[in-house]
C-alpha cells in the first residue's frame, strides 16, 4: 500500500450467496482494478451462511490480499452484520454493497468522485425496484411514507443500503449500539452532507432473495418502532376518541330512556360495541407490547453480534 493513497473499503454482508459471490468478485475487481489512485479493501461479512459462502470467501482471501472477512458465529441478520463491518473496516470511506449484483459496481467511480468533492454520504436511489410484485412495491412505498411522516427527520424513499460513507459517518454509526437496529433510518438520523445518485436496480444474477414478505414486514415494524413513538401516540388519541364516542353514545341512550321511557333493547348493538372496544384495546396493547419488547431486549445489553473468526487482508495496513 502506498502511503499517499486513500483507502476505500467495499463492505459486503453475505448470507447464502455461494452462487453470486464469484460473479460479484469478478465484476467488482474489473472496476476497482482500473482505479489505481486508491487502495481497495474487499471486506466480506459471513452472516452465518449455511452453504459454501464462507469457503468461497476464504479462497478469495487466500488469492487476493485485498480481501478481509469476518465470520459471525451464527446468523444475526443483515443489520447487525453491517455493524460488524463498521467495527472492522479500515478504509477512509466505506461502500456498502449486496453480493447479488443488484447494486452495480459500475457506480463506484461516481460515488468516489462525489466523495472527493466533500460529500460524506453518497447514496444510490432506485429509479425502479426491479422484479417485484405490485403488492410488495405498494407496501414498501407505504412504509416509507408512514415512517417519513412520523419522524422528525427526512426518511429517504427507494433508498437501500447501497451507498458510500465517509469515515466520520462510520464512526458515528459505531456509536449506535442498539440491538434492535434499522440501519436505513440511522443513515438519515446521523445527518452529514449527502448526495443522491439515481440508478436502475438490476435483478439478482443467481439464487433467490433471502427476504420473504414476512421478513420485510418484521423489518418495517422494527423501523417504525425504532425511530418513532407515533404508534403509541396514535393508540392514545384513538383511545380518547373511542372513549368520547362511547360516552356520547351512553348519554344518548340514557336520555332516550329517561325522556321516552324506551325499553332496554339492542342486544346485537351491545355485542358489536363490546367486540369493537375489545379489539381496540388489544390493538393498543399490541402496540405497547412491541415497545416493551424492545425495551426488554435493550436492557439485557447483549452484544449485537459474536465473531467466530476474523481474517485480515495484507494489502491494507
Amino acid at each position: 500500500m502506498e502511503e499517499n493513497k486513500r483507502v476505500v473499503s467495499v463492505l459486503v454482508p453475505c448470507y447464502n450467496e455461494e452462487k453470486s459471490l464469484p460473479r460479484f468478485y469478478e465484476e467488482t475487481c474489473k472496476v476497482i482494478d482500473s482505479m489505481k489512485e486508491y487502495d481497495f479493501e474487499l471486506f466480506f461479512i459471513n452472516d452465518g451462511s449455511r452453504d459454501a459462502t464462507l469457503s468461497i470467501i476464504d479462497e478469495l482471501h487466500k488469492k487476493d490480499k485485498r480481501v478481509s472477512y469476518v465470520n459471525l458465529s451464527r446468523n444475526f441478520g443483515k443489520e447487525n452484520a453491517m455493524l460488524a463491518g463498521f467495527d472492522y473496516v479500515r478504509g477512509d470511506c466505506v461502500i456498502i454493497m449486496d453480493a447479488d449484483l443488484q447494486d452495480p459496481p459500475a457506480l463506484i467511480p461516481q460515488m468516489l468522485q462525489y466523495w472527493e468533492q466533500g460529500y460524506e454520504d453518497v447514496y444510490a436511489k432506485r429509479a425502479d425496484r426491479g422484479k417485484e410484485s405490485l403488492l410488495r412495491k405498494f407496501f414498501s412505498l407505504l412504509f416509507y411514507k408512514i415512517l417519513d411522516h412520523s419522524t422528525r427527520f427526512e426518511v429517504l424513499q427507494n433508498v437501500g443500503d447501497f451507498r458510500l460513507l465517509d469515515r466520520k459517518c462510520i464512526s458515528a454509526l459505531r456509536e449506535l449500539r442498539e440491538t434492535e437496529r434499522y440501519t436505513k433510518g440511522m443513515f438519515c438520523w446521523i445527518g452529514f452532507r449527502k448526495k443522491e445518485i439515481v440508478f436502475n436496480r438490476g435483478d439478482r444474477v443467481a439464487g433467490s432473495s433471502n427476504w420473504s414478505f414476512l421478513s420485510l414486514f418484521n423489518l418495517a415494524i422494527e423501523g417504525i418502532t425504532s425511530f418513532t413513538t407515533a404508534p403509541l401516540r396514535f393508540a392514545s388519541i384513538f383511545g380518547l376518541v373511542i372513549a368520547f364516542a362511547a360516552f356520547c353514545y351512553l348519554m344518548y341512550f340514557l336520555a332516550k330512556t329517561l325522556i321516552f321511557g324506551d325499553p332496554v333493547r339492542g342486544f346485537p348493538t351491545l355485542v358489536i360495541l363490546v367486540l369493537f372496544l375489545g379489539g381496540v384495546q388489544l390493538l393498543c396493547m399490541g402496540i405497547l407490547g412491541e415497545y416493551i419488547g424492545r425495551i426488554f431486549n435493550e436492557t439485557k445489553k447483549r452484544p449485537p453480534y459474536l465473531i467466530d473468526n476474523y481474517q485480515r487482508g495484507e494489502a491494507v495496513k
Side-chain angles (χ1 to χ4, degrees), residues 238 242 271-287:
F238 194 37
I242 295 300
V271 171
I272 291 173
L273 286 175
V274 170
L275 293 177
F276 175 70
L277 293 176
V280 170
Q281 290 176 339
L282 290 175
L283 172 64
C284 295
M285 289 175 62
I287 293 174

Side-chain angles (χ1 to χ4, degrees), residues 219-257:
L219 182 63
I221 296 297
E222 288 184 6
I224 292 174
T225 54
S226 297
F227 280 90
T228 176
T229 57
L232 292 175
R233 187 166 301 171
F234 166 78
S236 300
I237 295 174
F238 194 37
L240 287 174
V241 171
I242 295 300
F244 179 75
F247 177 76
C248 293
Y249 198 52
L250 170 65
M251 296 305 296
Y252 166 75
F253 274 102
L254 180 61
K256 184 178 180 181
T257 302

Side-chain angles (χ1 to χ4, degrees), residues 6 12 26 36 38 54 57 69 111 114 116 131-132 201 208 211 213 218 228 281 302 316:
R6 304 178 82 178
V12 189
E26 178 184 348
K36 304 299 184 181
Y38 299 101
L54 179 60
I57 295 174
Y69 70 87
M111 287 181 165
Y114 284 126
E116 293 288 359
K131 290 183 179 180
E132 283 188 348
R201 185 171 174 84
S208 58
W211 291 95
F213 189 84
N218 290 332
T228 176
Q281 290 176 339
R302 292 179 180 175
V316 181

Side-chain angles (χ1 to χ4, degrees), residues 23-68:
R23 177 77 178 277
F24 170 83
Y25 175 77
E26 178 184 348
E27 295 296 326
T28 303
C29 284
K30 288 180 182 178
V31 175
I32 65 177
D33 288 345
S34 65
M35 305 183 70
K36 304 299 184 181
E37 65 272 28
Y38 299 101
D39 280 321
F40 283 91
E41 175 190 34
L42 294 174
F43 201 101
F44 296 92
I45 308 293
N46 180 46
D47 188 23
S49 298
R50 300 180 180 179
D51 58 7
T53 296
L54 179 60
S55 299
I56 294 174
I57 295 174
D58 190 57
E59 288 299 320
L60 294 177
H61 167 72
K62 291 176 180 178
K63 76 174 186 179
D64 190 339
K65 294 182 178 181
R66 298 172 298 184
V67 175
S68 303

Side-chain angles (χ1 to χ4, degrees), residues 184-207:
K184 296 178 183 64
M186 292 178 179
F187 293 146
C188 300
W189 185 86
I190 62 174
F192 296 106
R193 192 180 179 195
K194 300 183 184 299
K195 179 64 178 180
E196 175 185 291
I197 296 178
V198 179
F199 77 109
N200 292 317
R201 185 171 174 84
D203 299 318
R204 292 181 62 93
V205 294

Side-chain angles (χ1 to χ4, degrees), residues 72-140:
L72 302 184
S73 63
R74 65 169 176 83
N75 178 247
F76 286 90
K78 184 180 179 181
E79 306 293 311
N80 291 330
M82 283 193 291
L83 176 60
F86 299 155
D87 288 341
Y88 283 86
V89 289
R90 291 162 286 167
D92 298 301
C93 71
V94 176
I95 299 174
I96 306 171
M97 302 181 67
D98 288 337
D100 54 17
L101 285 179
Q102 288 187 292
D103 301 334
L107 286 183
I108 291 178
Q110 187 178 0
M111 287 181 165
L112 289 171
Q113 180 181 0
Y114 284 126
W115 177 54
E116 293 288 359
Q117 294 176 9
Y119 293 100
E120 294 147 337
D121 182 354
V122 184
Y123 61 88
K125 181 176 182 179
R126 296 180 289 248
D128 62 78
R129 301 185 62 90
K131 290 183 179 180
E132 283 188 348
S133 65
L134 292 176
L135 186 63
R136 184 164 172 170
K137 290 180 181 178
F138 170 77
F139 281 112
S140 295

